[in-house]
């Protein structure tokens, strides 16, 4: 599966991507607001094994894709969409810090919305971020998602409870935006 944006190719991960993934997944700054990481080599290999397993699902429920810059063919991050019932999905994204603030996450996330609504037939797509992750919140706002609320201390990680902000967009809202 390949999805394209103006500047990115979103494609299936392959075993050859392991080192590129590990570069950003092991960076403490990149994973500061994530519920995983920083990754060890073993963590990144476990992730790769899960991603390759996802690709074999029938019917497919989870899509983790490599974000590659078209011009340079450089893998700069990953993004995904995960189906749940009834007709809902969640998107997520993680990019190498050298590529923050350049619009790549927004571009990838917006393409995932299009894929979710047009190809997967979803009704609602949501995303979450930690309250301190203002960059991710801006991505969700930029792609037309609406703030739904502050979910308090619902995730345990790295020895403490974490909050999330939740955003969503409905298919008819996305259609109007497009």
């Amino acid at each position: 599966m390949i999805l394209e944006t103006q500047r990115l190719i979103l494609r299936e991960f392959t075993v050859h991507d392991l080192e590129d993934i590990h570069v950003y997944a092991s960076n403490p700054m990149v994973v500061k607001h994530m519920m995983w990481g920083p990754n060890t080599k073993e963590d990144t290999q476990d992730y790769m094994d899960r991603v390759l397993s996802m690709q074999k699902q029938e019917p497919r429920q989870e899509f983790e894709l490599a974000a590659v810059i078209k011009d340079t063919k450089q893998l700069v991050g990953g993004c995904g969409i995960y189906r749940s019932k009834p007709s809902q999905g969640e998107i997520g994204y993680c990019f190498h810090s050298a590529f923050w603030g350049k619009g790549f996450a927004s571009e990838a996330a917006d393409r995932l919305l299009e894929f979710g609504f047009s190809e997967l037939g979803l009704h609602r797509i949501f995303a979450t971020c930690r309250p301190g992750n203002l960059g991710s919140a801006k991505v969700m706002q930029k792609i037309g998602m609406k703030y739904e609320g502050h979910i308090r201390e619902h995730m345990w990680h790295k020895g403490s409870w974490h909050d999330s902000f939740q955003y969503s967009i409905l298919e008819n809202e996305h259609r109007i935006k497009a």
Side-chain angles (χ1 to χ4, degrees):
M1 179 177 105
I2 295 175
L3 303 175
E4 290 193 38
T5 72
Q6 181 181 349
R7 300 177 297 162
L8 296 172
I9 295 171
L10 307 178
R11 61 157 173 80
E12 301 281 9
F13 280 109
T14 72
V15 294
H16 305 293
D17 296 325
L18 186 66
E19 288 303 317
D20 290 332
I21 296 167
H22 190 66
V23 169
Y24 66 84
S26 63
N27 182 330
M29 187 169 72
V30 170
V31 302
K32 178 181 179 182
H33 300 290
M34 298 296 191
M35 292 294 113
W36 52 269
N39 279 12
T40 63
K41 284 275 193 184
E42 184 178 277
D43 294 332
T44 304
Q45 183 62 59
D46 289 346
Y47 169 77
M48 177 59 68
D49 293 344
R50 283 192 314 276
V51 167
L52 295 175
S53 178
M54 277 179 208
Q55 294 172 4
K56 298 174 185 167
Q57 293 172 341
E58 281 295 328
R60 188 135 176 214
Q61 300 299 310
E62 303 166 302
F63 300 82
E64 284 272 345
L65 303 172
V68 177
I69 295 177
K70 280 183 180 178
D71 293 341
T72 64
K73 307 297 186 237
Q74 182 178 5
L75 191 152
V76 296
C79 58
I81 185 165
Y82 321 95
R83 285 199 266 196
S84 59
K85 294 187 180 181
S87 298
Q88 296 190 55
E90 178 178 10
I91 62 168
Y93 38 84
C94 181
F95 280 76
H96 188 295
S97 59
F99 298 90
W100 291 355
K102 300 179 186 320
F104 289 117
S106 298
E107 208 170 297
D110 198 46
R111 184 63 181 93
L112 290 174
L113 293 182
E114 179 61 33
F115 174 71
F117 291 129
S118 66
E119 301 295 318
L120 300 179
L122 299 178
H123 169 70
R124 175 181 176 272
I125 299 174
F126 72 96
T128 62
C129 69
R130 304 306 72 73
N133 194 346
L134 301 179
S136 187
K138 285 180 184 176
V139 167
M140 291 181 250
Q141 294 161 9
K142 186 175 180 180
I143 64 172
M145 292 183 135
K146 294 186 176 16
Y147 177 75
E148 289 187 327
H150 185 144
I151 307 166
R152 300 179 324 140
E153 296 188 3
H154 70 113
M155 298 173 85
W156 177 262
H157 181 65
K158 299 179 185 174
S160 64
W161 290 101
H162 295 270
D163 295 4
S164 293
F165 286 163
Q166 183 162 304
Y167 289 78
S168 75
I169 187 167
L170 304 177
E171 190 275 334
N172 64 330
E173 295 168 335
H174 186 262
R175 195 171 353 103
I176 291 167
K177 180 184 82 114

